[in-house]
Amino acid sequence: MKKLLFPIISFVLTFLFLIVSCKKQDKKEAEANKVSLETPFDSTLVKTFFVNHPKLKKYQSDVEKLYRKHQFHYVWYDENGINDFGNLLYDKINNLEEEGVQVDVPYKKQLADIYEDPDNDQKPDIDTELLSSSLYFFYADKVYHGIPANKTTDLGWYLPRKKQSYVSYLDSLLIEPTLINKDEKGVLSQYYLLKDVLQKYRQIEKKGGWKTITIDPSVKSYKLGDSSKTIAQIRQRLFITGDISRDSKSNIYDAALVDGILKYKMRSGNTVNKLILPEHIKDMNISVAQRIKTLTVNMERCRWISNDITKSKELIVINIPAYELTYFNNGKPELRSKVVVGKALNKTVVFSASMRYIAFSPYWNVPTSILKKEILPAIEENENYLAEHNMEWNGNDVRQKPGGDNSLGKVKFLFPNSNNIYLHDTPSKSLFNSEDRAFSHGCIRVAKPKDLANIILKNDPNWTPKKIDEAMNRDTETMYTLKNKIPVYIGYFTSWVDDKGIVHFYEDIYNRDQRLASLIYAK
């Protein structure tokens, strides 16, 4: 027995040693990464960068001035890698032609390799940092012929702002941003709508906020007619935020509380039914201070929206955390549709582009990454895999032929972009019934694709609802070029005020709020 136990104990001790060693190594790497952000980089590297990137030499003095102001610290990175401002800049650089600027972007491929490679090392890199800063000034030069005069002091124009206290930042949000027009309709009015809600929530905070609701681990759900002290606490919580008009203080789950629960669920992205689950109570227990932080973060995101998108009569907005698409006509929402967005490992990026084409009964050209990781291994196991899935070789690539089981469904909407993201139908309709709809590889599945096609083409004499339906049910692809391009804005808003003035809070599915909050104000 001793002979048997010795190798087992030896193995366990070795295994535990490896785990502890790995954890120590991970901690060391994390600390090294942290130090690299807190420690200024070598200022001489700026000159070296411009020697290696002569096409950007024009902006050297501006870049040097920027880093002297920031004591030669990184501005495009946080502890998790490239920050939201870096990704915003990349979108702006990629869409210069949408702003009427026809110009070749220097070192664009190098930039794409950095921002589009999912396996890219997220540790701060001086070349990435300086390339981003140089292209920041390049963008300003080409679009505005220099940084706007009123933005030179703090370089707050698309750059992380200088950190300030929490209270000071809240107060600064009450000052109207110069780049947002208060008279704008639709998506650009969000700043002012969120501002009104912010003031309301600050008043709630001054009055003490709301108390934490007790979660009884023995109770799996509450339904109409149930009695509990927790019910009374829920009632008080919903009264404070205006979901119900009167707090009767009753412990019984009655019809009055049902109305409040349905309203709360509707604005929280939950399935709208009468059942109260522990996760709903957990959501209600998010403090008023945290809700205020969410509002401020999303007000900041509103500052990033380009005024140019309102120049078009039509606009399509996809809000990732809400899993929702909205079609605006003259600033008013005319169609809403549930969507499925990219999984956490295949994050749908935030960007804007113009829809130009609709493909009816489309082929699905399998992306190289999916071909290598999923299709080829499946073919090795089953030589009839392609035929069984209505697929075929197309040169060295694989595509799925049009049909009811096509992964893109019966129609797709294309707005050319470097991320190769588009909107499309799907045969997997059941996915839209889930509260968490982050399933896709990166493209966006639309629950109402036929409705979207009809509303886009409603004034086009070439298409009637009948022709659209026929085109969606053929065995050959039909590609149509739209007569008028439609801006598509893919945004990330975890709080949003609808056209009825009701504020919605959504789960921060990609954990971006705290990253942005840490950039714009100190704890």
Side-chain angles (χ1 to χ4, degrees), residues 213-216 222 228-235 251 281:
I213 301 169
T214 303
I215 299 178
D216 186 342
Y222 294 96
S228 168
K229 289 182 179 179
T230 299
I231 295 295
Q233 294 173 347
I234 292 172
R235 190 186 303 276
N251 289 346
I281 300 174

Side-chain angles (χ1 to χ4, degrees), residues 181-319:
N181 185 342
K182 193 169 185 177
D183 296 326
E184 292 289 359
K185 301 175 182 178
V187 66
L188 284 185
S189 68
Q190 270 302 302
Y191 182 90
Y192 296 99
L193 295 172
L194 288 170
K195 174 183 171 181
D196 291 340
V197 175
L198 173 64
Q199 291 174 314
K200 173 186 173 182
Y201 273 67
R202 291 183 77 179
Q203 287 300 315
I204 292 174
E205 185 179 44
K206 286 179 181 178
K207 293 178 182 178
W210 49 74
K211 296 178 181 178
T212 300
I213 301 169
T214 303
I215 299 178
D216 186 342
S218 66
V219 179
K220 293 183 179 180
S221 66
Y222 294 96
K223 58 184 182 298
L224 187 63
D226 285 349
S227 178
S228 168
K229 289 182 179 179
T230 299
I231 295 295
Q233 294 173 347
I234 292 172
R235 190 186 303 276
Q236 183 185 50
R237 164 69 176 81
L238 297 184
F239 172 71
I240 291 172
T241 49
D243 294 293
I244 54 175
S245 59
R246 188 175 73 89
D247 179 10
S248 67
K249 304 189 184 302
S250 170
N251 289 346
I252 300 173
Y253 187 4
D254 55 18
L257 185 57
V258 166
D259 291 340
I261 289 296
L262 295 179
K263 184 176 180 180
Y264 183 84
K265 284 190 171 187
M266 179 271 296
R267 66 186 189 84
S268 301
N270 299 122
T271 300
V272 181
N273 57 32
K274 300 175 184 178
L275 208 61
I276 304 174
L277 303 176
E279 55 259 38
H280 301 142
I281 300 174
K282 184 179 179 181
D283 186 70
M284 292 180 203
N285 279 339
I286 294 174
S287 69
V288 65
Q290 185 59 44
R291 289 305 194 198
I292 287 174
K293 183 180 288 188
T294 300
L295 290 166
T296 62
V297 163
N298 286 281
M299 287 176 74
E300 175 70 20
R301 289 181 177 128
C302 287
R303 295 172 184 260
W304 303 350
I305 301 172
S306 171
N307 285 10
D308 292 339
I309 66 174
T310 60
K311 292 178 181 178
S312 176
K313 177 183 176 182
E314 301 170 280
L315 171 66
I316 294 171
V317 176
I318 295 100
N319 185 10

Side-chain angles (χ1 to χ4, degrees), residues 426-446:
T426 177
S428 305
K429 305 297 184 184
S430 61
L431 294 178
F432 295 109
N433 296 324
S434 173
E435 289 186 2
D436 180 2
R437 296 195 293 277
F439 298 114
S440 75
H441 282 88
C443 289
I444 300 169
R445 307 179 194 182
V446 182

Side-chain angles (χ1 to χ4, degrees), residues 10-76:
S10 177
F11 171 77
V12 171
L13 289 174
T14 302
F15 181 67
L16 290 174
F17 173 77
L18 288 172
I19 292 176
V20 173
S21 298
C22 288
K23 287 185 176 179
K24 286 182 177 179
Q25 183 63 28
D26 290 344
K27 186 175 181 181
K28 285 181 180 178
E29 290 179 0
E31 286 298 319
N33 191 44
K34 183 178 180 182
V35 170
S36 65
L37 284 174
E38 294 179 352
T39 305
F41 61 78
D42 184 352
S43 61
T44 63
L45 294 175
V46 177
K47 291 183 179 179
T48 303
F49 172 83
F50 286 103
V51 170
N52 296 327
H53 298 79
K55 294 179 183 178
L56 294 168
K57 180 74 175 176
K58 174 181 178 180
Y59 308 107
Q60 181 172 346
S61 62
D62 290 319
V63 171
E64 289 176 344
K65 185 188 299 182
L66 168 64
Y67 286 104
R68 280 196 297 272
K69 181 177 179 63
H70 288 269
Q71 291 82 46
F72 291 92
H73 284 85
Y74 288 89
V75 297
W76 303 105

Side-chain angles (χ1 to χ4, degrees), residues 266-270 317-326 337-341 434-435 437 491-496 504-509:
M266 179 271 296
R267 66 186 189 84
S268 301
N270 299 122
V317 176
I318 295 100
N319 185 10
I320 295 173
Y323 305 113
E324 186 175 66
L325 174 151
T326 306
S337 173
K338 293 180 180 180
V339 296
V340 170
V341 300
S434 173
E435 289 186 2
R437 296 195 293 277
Y492 192 89
F493 294 93
T494 49
S495 59
W496 184 268
H504 299 246
F505 290 100
Y506 303 108
E507 183 183 356
D508 181 16
I509 58 175

